Amino acid sequence: MSDAGIAARLKQLRLPAIAAPMFLVSSPELVVACCRAGIVGSFPAPNLRTSEELGAWMAQITAGVQKPSHGEWPVAPWALNMVTHSTSPRLPSDLEQVAEHRPPIVITALGSPKPVIPTVHGYGGLVFADVISEEFARKAADAGADGLVLVCSGAGGHTGNLSPLVFVERVRRFFDGHIVLAGAINTGDAILAAQVLGADYAYLGTAFIPAEESLAQDEYRQMLIDCGPTDLMVTRAFTGARASMLVPSMLRKGLDPAEVEFKVAKFNFTGRQNETVKPWSGIWGAGQGVGRIERVEPAADIIDRLAAEYAAARRRTAELCA
Ligand SMILES: Cc1cc2nc3c(=O)[nH]c(=O)nc-3n(C[C@H](O)[C@H](O)[C@H](O)COP(=O)(O)O)c2cc1C
């Protein structure tokens, strides 16, 4: 049984938004900053080399979110992202850490949510599954996921190719749980648009890469400030799955984007333990919301900007509907 308490806390978010998990970008400081600024913060388990290190990050976050929020809103719940693909050998020992540290939400990616559901529901947590197609959405719903993250075209990192205009409507036909919409969302207007389409929350990755609390290198942050949506390429060359990457980061590594585009790497997601990751370290991901990035700033300032835009978009929409 999942916990109505966490679902209730999600209804009290300052903004209906989740700062999405990002490999080698999300830090415990970023997670805590997002939660204290009123939106869900998250990080991926493969950011850590061992399950013990994963436990230490979760303990740090648990302590961090005990502090009060920066405003009148409550501190938001946080989420752990786990890769459940069969090439992920650490799943059993990571799950032991999950049982101990009890992340309120676990978001599964690149595999079925099934292996994590007994543990997470066992302590009253919620399980969301990241999906890129209606078929995977149905499978995750049938497996018992409490929520679905619909990754659409324009998303950073591993991306989908469905339009959000279609994907939410298709999934709402058979799923009445939490729906999170992902892909190129980097304005308060787009967060409201996600709700208008029928989603409950927006999932924002790229927007938080330049945050002061992220693990991104300074050169990566500057590249995001300098780039727009036409500086991206979707390719399977780096992880085997379709991923949206910054072309200037390929050029910087001496790669020819034209050669890279149609290459397909062997499918493998064991994160840092995977030797095949090394050749593409320094090739950086981003989604089409990259053009909205103007500066490096604290996560709380990014969320203040999104909240102000969201409030303005709501006022405009109210006028439209009047
Ligand atoms: C640099 C980068 C790393 C990412 N790493 C992960 C990851 O480790 N696990 C995961 O489930 N999704 C990962 N994603 C995808 C995000 O969680 C999210 O789906 C995506 O960023 C949403 O699109 P947006 O970047 O356009 O906001 C990553 C995305 C980016 C940009």
Side-chain angles (χ1 to χ4, degrees):
M1 274 282 287
S2 56
D3 186 355
I6 296 169
R9 285 178 67 199
L10 284 172
K11 285 201 166 43
Q12 294 167 5
L13 294 178
R14 175 189 182 192
L15 264 182
I18 298 174
M22 290 181 285
F23 185 53
L24 303 185
V25 172
S26 314
S27 68
E29 291 80 10
L30 180 60
V31 175
V32 171
C34 289
C35 293
R36 294 183 66 205
I39 73 168
V40 176
S42 71
F43 75 95
N47 269 9
L48 288 314
R49 288 176 204 277
T50 65
S51 300
E52 290 68 33
E53 288 175 358
L54 171 64
W57 271 32
M58 290 197 284
Q60 186 181 338
I61 292 167
T62 304
V65 297
Q66 303 308 314
K67 294 185 194 137
S69 76
H70 301 296
E72 285 168 5
W73 52 86
V75 176
W78 59 281
L80 170 70
N81 166 234
M82 300 179 77
V83 173
T84 52
H85 191 259
S86 55
T87 61
S88 177
R90 237 178 57 192
L91 194 58
S93 56
D94 280 1
L95 273 177
E96 284 174 22
Q97 296 293 334
V98 165
E100 185 179 339
H101 295 281
R102 305 181 163 205
I105 304 164
V106 170
I107 304 169
T108 61
L110 303 166
S112 168
K114 209 170 189 169
V116 313
I117 287 177
T119 305
V120 180
H121 281 183
Y123 62 79
L126 297 178
V127 176
F128 288 8
D130 175 315
V131 293
I132 56 163
S133 70
E134 195 178 332
E135 181 197 347
F136 287 137
R138 277 187 193 278
K139 283 186 179 163
D142 291 346
D146 306 292
L148 298 174
V149 181
L150 310 185
V151 181
C152 297
S153 60
H158 290 140
T159 187
N161 56 9
L162 288 176
S163 161
L165 302 176
V166 170
F167 204 3
V168 180
E169 187 268 330
R170 298 286 301 181
V171 172
R172 265 292 175 235
R173 290 183 192 190
F174 63 86
F175 185 69
D176 63 1
H178 304 263
I179 288 188
V180 188
L181 187 63
I185 300 178
N186 194 1
T187 59
D189 311 55
I191 294 173
L192 183 62
Q195 289 183 300
V196 171
L197 287 177
D200 300 292
Y201 316 99
Y203 206 55
L204 291 77
T206 300
F208 288 96
I209 305 173
E212 277 175 10
E213 298 89 345
S214 87
L215 301 174
Q217 298 91 324
D218 289 344
E219 210 181 335
Y220 187 5
R221 297 168 201 263
Q222 187 57 47
M223 198 176 281
L224 293 167
I225 293 168
D226 296 341
C227 284
T230 52
D231 295 307
L232 301 168
M233 176 191 281
V234 174
T235 172
R236 297 177 65 190
F238 300 110
T239 64
R242 295 175 74 255
S244 172
M245 312 303 264
L246 286 157
V247 171
S249 73
M250 298 175 199
L251 297 171
R252 177 181 155 274
K253 283 276 170 179
L255 297 177
D256 177 355
E259 274 184 29
V260 166
E261 188 169 6
F262 299 108
K263 280 196 172 153
V264 182
K266 193 164 172 271
F267 210 68
N268 194 323
F269 298 102
T270 48
R272 284 178 155 188
Q273 291 163 329
N274 174 13
E275 289 304 307
T276 65
V277 166
K278 284 191 177 137
W280 56 272
S281 65
I283 307 293
W284 294 319
Q288 290 181 18
V290 64
R292 188 64 185 79
I293 294 171
E294 288 167 2
R295 62 185 73 87
V296 175
E297 57 191 336
D301 289 5
I302 298 173
I303 296 165
D304 282 349
R305 190 255 300 165
L306 292 167
E309 290 170 355
Y310 180 78
R314 280 179 64 131
R315 284 193 297 274
R316 273 202 322 276
T317 311
E319 280 167 26
L320 265 176
C321 297

